[in-house]
Amino acid sequence: MERSIRGNVYVEAGMYGGHWYGTRMAAIRDIGKSGKTAIVPLYHSSLKVLKTSDLKPYVVYLKPKDQRSKATASHSSTEELVDPAIMEEARCIETCFGHYFDLTLTVGTVKRTVEELVQVANRLQNEPQWMYSGWVR
Protein backbone atom coordinates (compact mmCIF):
# COMPACT_ATOMS: atom_id res chain seq x y z
CA MET A 1 0.00 0.00 0.00
CA GLU A 2 2.85 2.40 0.72
CA ARG A 3 3.97 2.13 -2.91
CA SER A 4 0.41 2.94 -4.04
CA ILE A 5 0.34 5.99 -1.77
CA ARG A 6 3.59 7.28 -3.28
CA GLY A 7 2.17 6.56 -6.75
CA ASN A 8 -0.91 8.75 -6.10
CA VAL A 9 -3.33 5.81 -6.27
CA TYR A 10 -4.94 7.32 -3.17
CA VAL A 11 -6.25 10.85 -2.76
CA GLU A 12 -5.29 10.50 0.87
CA ALA A 13 -4.29 7.68 3.18
CA GLY A 14 -3.18 7.13 6.73
CA MET A 15 -2.49 4.53 9.33
CA TYR A 16 -4.76 3.84 12.28
CA GLY A 17 -4.31 1.01 14.76
CA GLY A 18 -1.51 -0.46 12.69
CA HIS A 19 -3.68 -0.69 9.55
CA TRP A 20 -3.64 1.50 6.45
CA TYR A 21 -6.86 3.24 5.35
CA GLY A 22 -7.42 5.54 2.42
CA THR A 23 -9.61 6.94 -0.34
CA ARG A 24 -8.68 5.47 -3.71
CA MET A 25 -8.90 7.66 -6.81
CA ALA A 26 -10.47 4.70 -8.64
CA ALA A 27 -13.35 4.61 -6.14
CA ILE A 28 -14.10 8.29 -6.80
CA ARG A 29 -13.88 7.69 -10.58
CA ASP A 30 -16.33 4.79 -10.29
CA ILE A 31 -18.85 7.02 -8.50
CA GLY A 32 -18.55 9.58 -11.30
CA LYS A 33 -18.95 6.93 -14.00
CA SER A 34 -22.18 5.80 -12.33
CA GLY A 35 -23.63 9.29 -12.88
CA LYS A 36 -23.36 10.34 -9.26
CA THR A 37 -21.26 12.99 -7.57
CA ALA A 38 -18.72 12.04 -4.92
CA ILE A 39 -18.56 14.35 -1.94
CA VAL A 40 -15.23 13.64 -0.29
CA PRO A 41 -14.15 15.40 2.90
CA LEU A 42 -10.37 15.65 2.76
CA TYR A 43 -7.51 17.04 4.75
CA HIS A 44 -6.04 20.17 3.19
CA SER A 45 -2.76 18.34 2.59
CA SER A 46 -4.54 16.14 -0.01
CA LEU A 47 -5.66 19.02 -2.22
CA LYS A 48 -2.58 19.07 -4.45
CA VAL A 49 -2.99 15.38 -5.31
CA LEU A 50 -6.70 15.92 -5.95
CA LYS A 51 -6.28 19.02 -8.12
CA THR A 52 -3.55 17.47 -10.26
CA SER A 53 -5.58 14.31 -10.88
CA ASP A 54 -8.11 13.61 -13.64
CA LEU A 55 -11.01 13.64 -11.17
CA LYS A 56 -12.25 17.13 -12.12
CA PRO A 57 -12.80 18.26 -8.52
CA TYR A 58 -14.73 21.28 -7.35
CA VAL A 59 -13.22 22.14 -3.97
CA VAL A 60 -15.38 23.88 -1.37
CA TYR A 61 -13.65 25.15 1.75
CA LEU A 62 -15.93 25.40 4.78
CA LYS A 63 -14.43 28.25 6.76
CA PRO A 64 -15.41 28.88 10.38
CA LYS A 65 -17.16 32.16 11.06
CA ASP A 66 -14.76 34.75 12.49
CA GLN A 67 -16.47 36.03 15.60
CA ARG A 68 -13.83 38.44 16.90
CA SER A 69 -15.88 41.45 15.95
CA LYS A 70 -19.10 40.24 17.56
CA ALA A 71 -20.07 40.34 21.17
CA THR A 72 -20.87 36.96 22.72
CA ALA A 73 -24.40 38.09 23.54
CA SER A 74 -25.18 38.68 19.85
CA HIS A 75 -24.78 34.99 18.89
CA SER A 76 -27.92 33.05 18.16
CA SER A 77 -28.49 29.87 20.13
CA THR A 78 -27.80 27.76 17.03
CA GLU A 79 -24.29 29.16 16.49
CA GLU A 80 -21.34 28.21 18.64
CA LEU A 81 -18.29 30.31 19.41
CA VAL A 82 -15.22 29.12 17.51
CA ASP A 83 -12.04 28.45 19.46
CA PRO A 84 -9.34 31.05 18.60
CA ALA A 85 -6.88 28.22 17.80
CA ILE A 86 -9.31 26.87 15.20
CA MET A 87 -9.64 30.35 13.69
CA GLU A 88 -5.85 30.64 13.46
CA GLU A 89 -5.59 27.22 11.81
CA ALA A 90 -8.37 28.20 9.37
CA ARG A 91 -6.43 31.35 8.41
CA CYS A 92 -3.30 29.27 7.84
CA ILE A 93 -5.20 26.75 5.70
CA GLU A 94 -6.72 29.54 3.63
CA THR A 95 -3.34 31.25 3.17
CA CYS A 96 -1.42 28.09 2.27
CA PHE A 97 -4.07 26.18 0.31
CA GLY A 98 -6.57 28.83 -0.80
CA HIS A 99 -5.40 28.63 -4.42
CA TYR A 100 -6.90 25.11 -4.55
CA PHE A 101 -10.37 26.29 -3.46
CA ASP A 102 -13.07 26.85 -6.06
CA LEU A 103 -15.42 28.25 -3.42
CA THR A 104 -15.13 29.32 0.20
CA LEU A 105 -18.26 29.17 2.35
CA THR A 106 -18.33 30.69 5.80
CA VAL A 107 -20.10 28.31 8.16
CA GLY A 108 -22.92 29.77 10.22
CA THR A 109 -25.63 27.36 11.23
CA VAL A 110 -25.60 23.78 9.97
CA LYS A 111 -28.96 24.31 8.25
CA ARG A 112 -27.78 27.41 6.37
CA THR A 113 -24.50 25.79 5.37
CA VAL A 114 -26.23 22.68 4.01
CA GLU A 115 -28.69 24.88 2.07
CA GLU A 116 -25.77 26.78 0.52
CA LEU A 117 -24.00 23.53 -0.42
CA VAL A 118 -27.18 22.21 -2.07
CA GLN A 119 -27.50 25.47 -4.06
CA VAL A 120 -23.88 25.14 -5.20
CA ALA A 121 -24.38 21.49 -6.20
CA ASN A 122 -27.49 22.40 -8.21
CA ARG A 123 -25.67 25.25 -9.93
CA LEU A 124 -22.74 22.99 -10.81
CA GLN A 125 -25.10 20.47 -12.40
CA ASN A 126 -26.88 23.08 -14.50
CA GLU A 127 -24.24 25.64 -15.48
CA PRO A 128 -21.12 25.18 -17.63
CA GLN A 129 -17.90 25.13 -15.61
CA TRP A 130 -14.33 26.09 -16.41
CA MET A 131 -12.02 23.06 -16.64
CA TYR A 132 -8.29 22.52 -16.93
CA SER A 133 -7.36 21.82 -20.55
CA GLY A 134 -5.68 18.59 -19.46
CA TRP A 135 -9.06 17.20 -18.41
CA VAL A 136 -10.58 17.57 -21.87
CA ARG A 137 -9.92 14.49 -23.97
Side-chain angles (χ1 to χ4, degrees):
M1 182 162 178
E2 290 180 47
R3 189 175 307 129
S4 295
I5 292 168
R6 285 191 299 274
N8 291 335
V9 171
Y10 291 86
V11 175
E12 69 178 5
M15 186 178 278
Y16 179 77
H19 301 282
W20 283 100
Y21 296 90
T23 305
R24 292 177 56 92
M25 296 244 199
I28 298 171
R29 274 188 211 96
D30 290 344
I31 292 168
K33 287 177 186 175
S34 74
K36 297 179 182 174
T37 301
I39 298 175
V40 185
L42 298 171
Y43 286 101
H44 53 274
S45 57
S46 303
L47 292 175
K48 182 177 181 181
V49 172
L50 182 68
K51 279 292 197 173
T52 57
S53 73
D54 64 341
L55 295 176
K56 303 176 185 100
Y58 188 88
V59 177
V60 178
Y61 174 57
L62 299 177
K63 174 182 174 178
K65 189 174 198 173
D66 189 350
Q67 299 160 338
R68 288 181 297 176
S69 61
K70 292 186 171 187
T72 305
S74 69
H75 292 288
S76 71
S77 60
T78 58
E79 292 184 18
E80 295 181 23
L81 291 173
V82 178
D83 184 305
I86 292 174
M87 288 306 305
E88 183 58 32
E89 184 175 356
R91 280 189 281 282
C92 289
I93 290 170
E94 199 164 13
T95 300
C96 296
F97 299 95
H99 58 286
Y100 293 120
F101 305 156
D102 295 299
L103 176 68
T104 298
L105 289 180
T106 301
V107 176
T109 63
V110 172
K111 181 181 180 196
R112 193 188 95 227
T113 303
V114 169
E115 287 170 352
E116 288 182 56
L117 287 170
V118 168
Q119 287 175 357
V120 169
N122 289 334
R123 182 175 47 88
L124 289 171
Q125 281 186 318
N126 298 315
E127 295 178 10
Q129 299 298 312
W130 179 88
M131 294 174 58
Y132 293 103
S133 61
W135 290 346
V136 181
R137 294 181 186 175

